[in-house]
Amino acid sequence: MPAISHRRDSLEDINTDLVTLPRFIIETQQSIKGAKGDFTLVLNALGFAFKFISQTIRKAELINLVGITGNTNSTGDQQKKLDVLGDEIFINAMSASGIVKLVISEEQEDMIIFHHNDSKYAICCDPIDGSSNLDAGVSVGTICSIFRILPGSTGSTADVLRHGAEMVGACYAMYGASTHLMLTLGNGVSGFTLDNTLGEFILVHPELRIPSQRSIYSINEGNSYYWDKHIVEFIDSLKKPQDHDGKPYSARYIGSMVADLHRTFLYGGLFSYPADKKNPNGKLRLLYEAFPMAMLVEQAGGKAVNDQGQRILDLCPTHIHDKSSVWMGSNDDVDKYLKHIGKL
């Protein structure tokens, strides 16, 4: 009998009332007055695409999907085989939803328009961010911004060439030891982890908040030779003992935006990719890297600005592949940069 009692106690520690992504979407929809379920279709399509890409990456080496194709994408990066397949998976999933009017992808020079009746959303994505690290087994991810198309639009670049603050949602999926999903619908950030046995994303970080300060900086210092002087001086200042604890910042840089920012969401700190002499407008694309990550960061209580201290979400691109410099992460750490450039 004692053994049975012990077993019963251990079973009580197992949560059987899981909040899956579909349940989260439905409960969120029910809380919004007048919701018709259109956005639910978008989120379901995104969830399917993330699971499909996750499983494809896990078996990539076994089915000869590593290596490059020999082509370059719309922004001049070498395309990996998985870049092409991930892009195809994503586009097909959005088309099948029936509610997405157009897709902007890093892998496509031009926008893709779907001729569905009553489609209402535009999705901008980087299908596999950090793909240069794929063959080394480093975590990569998919980043997405979600816009509602303009009234009366039949699908054009005007639907996405808007201020970042006009997004209605943003998310990223990170594919590593586990597959993680961070999602915002403009009312905070929710974090999910994929349970491969159930085939469902499970809510593990409800109402996620970025710590207000953490002495970690994440930046590619291999580019420091090309930085402006004030950037070099600021990063050098982080390597000295700080007033609040007498210790210098620690450097943590993976080289995959999704992986570096995922750590920042959980632990805090500062992530940056400044402009330099090689990339005078910055390296990260506004629509499907800077915008969605900035929305997620702000919704989690952090800040996101460019080299000049302008709020990322106040910027407005003029081309679908426009780039920007970024400084984002913990509120106090971004403020430290803003003070350095005299904007605070």
Side-chain angles (χ1 to χ4, degrees):
M1 290 298 293
I4 294 175
S5 175
H6 174 74
R7 181 184 175 192
R8 188 172 294 155
D9 291 342
S10 64
L11 288 174
E12 289 175 357
D13 295 333
I14 300 175
N15 180 15
T16 57
D17 186 23
L18 301 175
V19 179
T20 63
L21 180 59
R23 174 180 168 182
F24 175 85
I25 294 169
I26 291 170
E27 291 179 352
T28 301
Q29 176 188 326
Q30 291 172 341
S31 68
I32 301 173
K33 186 177 180 180
K36 298 179 180 178
D38 294 338
F39 203 27
T40 299
L41 296 175
V42 175
L43 297 178
N44 281 333
L46 288 170
F48 171 77
F50 298 151
K51 286 188 280 188
F52 197 164
I53 293 172
S54 173
Q55 293 305 309
T56 302
I57 287 174
R58 286 183 178 279
K59 59 187 179 184
E61 276 192 289
L62 303 178
I63 58 175
N64 195 32
L65 280 176
V66 296
I68 62 174
T69 64
N71 299 321
T72 56
N73 65 16
S74 62
T75 54
D77 297 329
Q78 279 196 325
Q79 281 186 318
K80 297 277 187 173
K81 294 176 184 177
L82 271 170
D83 281 322
V84 177
L85 186 57
D87 186 50
E88 184 177 322
I89 290 170
F90 196 87
I91 291 169
N92 286 337
M94 296 306 103
S95 176
S97 74
I99 199 67
V100 174
K101 171 59 73 175
L102 66 92
V103 167
I104 303 293
S105 169
E106 182 190 19
E107 306 305 325
Q108 301 289 332
E109 183 68 32
D110 300 312
M111 66 179 179
I112 298 171
I113 297 178
F114 306 124
H115 299 286
H116 302 308
N117 294 328
D118 300 323
S119 47
K120 300 175 181 177
Y121 292 93
I123 309 293
C124 306
C125 77
D126 184 348
I128 302 184
D129 173 75
S131 59
S132 61
N133 291 312
L134 268 171
D135 295 355
V138 175
S139 295
V140 296
T142 303
I143 313 174
C144 302
S145 59
I146 309 170
F147 290 88
R148 184 183 291 273
I149 65 172
L150 297 169
S153 174
T154 56
S156 74
T157 56
D159 290 313
V160 295
L161 297 181
R162 300 152 68 181
H163 295 96
E166 295 182 62
M167 286 183 293
V168 295
C171 59
Y172 71 78
M174 186 183 77
Y175 316 111
S178 299
T179 296
H180 303 277
L181 168 63
M182 292 294 188
L183 170 68
T184 181
L185 307 179
N187 56 351
V189 174
S190 300
F192 300 81
T193 297
L194 181 62
D195 184 318
N196 288 306
T197 304
L198 298 176
E200 295 283 1
F201 282 103
I202 307 299
L203 181 65
V204 293
H205 295 293
E207 301 178 11
L208 180 73
R209 305 295 290 177
I210 296 178
S212 61
Q213 197 280 327
R214 184 72 180 267
S215 296
I216 296 174
Y217 72 95
S218 181
I219 193 170
N220 186 356
E221 293 196 71
N223 291 327
S224 60
Y225 176 80
Y226 303 102
W227 291 344
D228 288 345
K229 182 180 179 181
H230 76 277
I231 302 291
V232 175
E233 291 173 345
F234 176 70
I235 296 302
D236 284 346
S237 74
L238 299 182
K239 301 175 185 177
K240 300 174 182 177
Q242 304 295 302
D243 293 338
H244 67 279
D245 64 359
K247 299 177 182 179
Y249 274 59
S250 297
R252 299 286 186 271
Y253 185 70
I254 298 169
S256 165
M257 184 188 192
V258 168
D260 279 310
L261 272 170
H262 189 73
R263 180 195 60 246
T264 303
F265 274 103
L266 298 179
Y267 300 163
L270 177 66
F271 170 83
S272 177
Y273 210 116
D276 57 36
K277 293 180 178 65
K278 295 185 299 179
N279 300 286
N281 295 319
K283 180 72 181 292
L284 300 177
R285 273 66 61 161
L286 269 172
L287 283 178
Y288 42 83
E289 290 174 324
F291 273 179
M293 286 303 198
M295 184 178 186
L296 284 159
V297 165
E298 286 196 2
Q299 287 295 319
K303 285 186 177 179
V305 301
N306 64 8
D307 283 355
Q308 293 73 41
Q310 297 170 293
R311 181 184 179 224
I312 294 290
L313 295 183
D314 287 339
L315 303 178
C316 187
T318 58
H319 185 274
I320 61 174
H321 297 298
D322 274 357
K323 300 177 181 181
S324 176
S325 53
V326 302
W327 298 79
M328 56 178 66
S330 294
N331 192 76
D332 294 354
D333 297 309
V334 176
D335 280 352
K336 187 183 290 285
Y337 172 72
L338 292 174
K339 290 175 183 177
H340 178 77
I341 63 173
K343 291 298 178 73
L344 196 67

